[in-house]
Amino acid sequence: MTVESRPTPIHGPVFAADPQLVYERLRRHGPVAPVEIAPGVEALLVTDYQAALDLLRDTDTFSKDSRAWQRTVPPDSPLLPVLGYRPTALFSDGATHARYRAVITDALALLEPHRLQRQVAETAHRLIDEFAAVGHADLIAAYARRLPAFVLTTWFGVPQEQRADVVAAITGLIESTAQAGAAYGKLLAVVTAMVAERRERPRHDLASWYVTHPVGLDDDEVIRQITLTLIAGHEPTTNLIGNALLRLLTDARYAGSLFGGAMTAHQAIDEVLWHEPPMANLSAHYPRYDITFHGREIKAGTLLLVSYAAANSQAAPPAEDGGLRSGESAHLAWAAGPHACPARDPALLIAITAIEQLGSRLSDLELSTPAEDLLWRPGPFHRALMHLPVRFEPVAG
């Protein structure tokens, strides 16, 4: 095997520690590079901004249906909870995709921004109350992971006693370890029971909306759309909050400004979306026929992933005079084309509000361990901190 064709691993701790270094090496292959996304499982990763846009927008050449590719990997592959076909908007094309996506976008449209912001703020204060008097906390475990989880599970009416299981399942399946299949199974079990109950007794929650939507999804379709929304809503939002907080706590340009208001939070989030997007590599596509794409010959059915992180870092405009950028929206952190993330606005509102509320309550947050000692969760798809330990002057609740 030549150096040119040898796949580069993007799933282990080496990649997690410094993915930008890996992306720089991958660019030597051109806009599309061979990678290994799990032991023995190869794919092509699009690292070029324009090539990524071309892929994301070309529904004639590329399909989202993963079934042909899926037959090439072991049935117990830890990648299948993320990439394995199921009847959802993420794995569908054309009219089927539009039908599934309509249920999701119509549901998200029910989330009135002012009410959502109030719910997030109230949840944030309850979580902060749990550690404010202690003087230290892990902001991932105690805050960034729990806040969007509470909001999402409340929207969908997940039983209180099962909410922790749902969050653990989502985290486990995204990491694509040997336990990913079991994690996805646990999530399916919770949602399956919810859907059966809502068929009998609808409530005022999003699960009932999915069940009763006019497009008439069957039970399996409802279950799959709900699990997709929970996964896509929780994991990226958690990582966005965590990555933005780290930037605010360590970037000298933000010195002391975690407590400076909404614009600062928005700027930090914007920079994270450019440089460390919470989902770094995804948007799986498969050519419908043999093609030549940006100089590389690709066989039909080959898995192509888009590296939002690599493409963004290539295209990001420089900060002026070492200052902060604002108003930029051309990054690919939300993907692009017909499969662009439909939850962009609520996710941004949750993340910005979470950071604002934390800064308003704890005015002297600082890392309690050197930034270079922080660990990142391994996995090919996300950019996510394991922990974010901080200390501060204890305050009364």
Side-chain angles (χ1 to χ4, degrees), residues 57-115:
R57 293 170 175 171
D58 188 352
T59 58
D60 293 330
T61 304
F62 299 98
S63 172
K64 295 286 289 179
D65 190 323
S66 64
R67 281 175 284 193
W69 169 83
Q70 189 171 333
R71 290 192 289 270
T72 70
V73 300
D76 60 350
S77 170
L79 296 168
L80 292 182
V82 175
L83 298 179
Y85 175 82
R86 54 197 67 101
T88 73
L90 190 62
F91 298 96
S92 304
D93 303 307
T96 302
H97 167 253
R99 176 171 173 262
Y100 290 151
R101 187 177 174 95
V103 178
I104 296 171
T105 56
D106 289 350
L108 294 175
L110 299 174
L111 304 175
E112 198 278 324
H114 293 294
R115 182 180 176 188

Side-chain angles (χ1 to χ4, degrees), residues 227-251:
T227 56
L228 170 62
T229 309
L230 288 170
I231 295 166
H234 180 267
E235 179 71 13
T237 308
T238 292
N239 301 344
L240 182 57
I241 294 170
N243 295 357
L245 285 170
L246 176 61
R247 185 167 290 263
L248 285 162
L249 290 167
T250 58
D251 192 322

Side-chain angles (χ1 to χ4, degrees), residues 111-188:
L111 304 175
E112 198 278 324
H114 293 294
R115 182 180 176 188
L116 174 58
Q117 186 176 40
R118 183 170 62 252
Q119 180 191 21
V120 174
E122 291 172 352
T123 303
H125 280 287
R126 285 198 298 272
L127 294 177
I128 295 168
D129 283 343
E130 295 182 13
F131 56 79
V134 179
H136 60 86
D138 172 6
L139 291 183
I140 299 300
Y143 194 67
R145 188 173 294 140
R146 294 178 65 196
L147 192 151
F150 183 88
V151 172
L152 276 167
T153 53
T154 299
W155 292 347
F156 280 95
V158 177
Q160 181 69 39
E161 65 274 13
Q162 294 178 319
R163 291 180 179 182
D165 291 339
V166 166
V167 176
I170 292 171
T171 302
L173 69 90
I174 289 291
E175 290 178 348
S176 298
T177 64
Q179 291 74 43
Y184 185 62
K186 290 179 181 178
L187 179 60
L188 277 182

Side-chain angles (χ1 to χ4, degrees), residues 5 69 146 206 358 367:
S5 62
W69 169 83
R146 294 178 65 196
L206 291 191
L358 188 67
L367 285 180

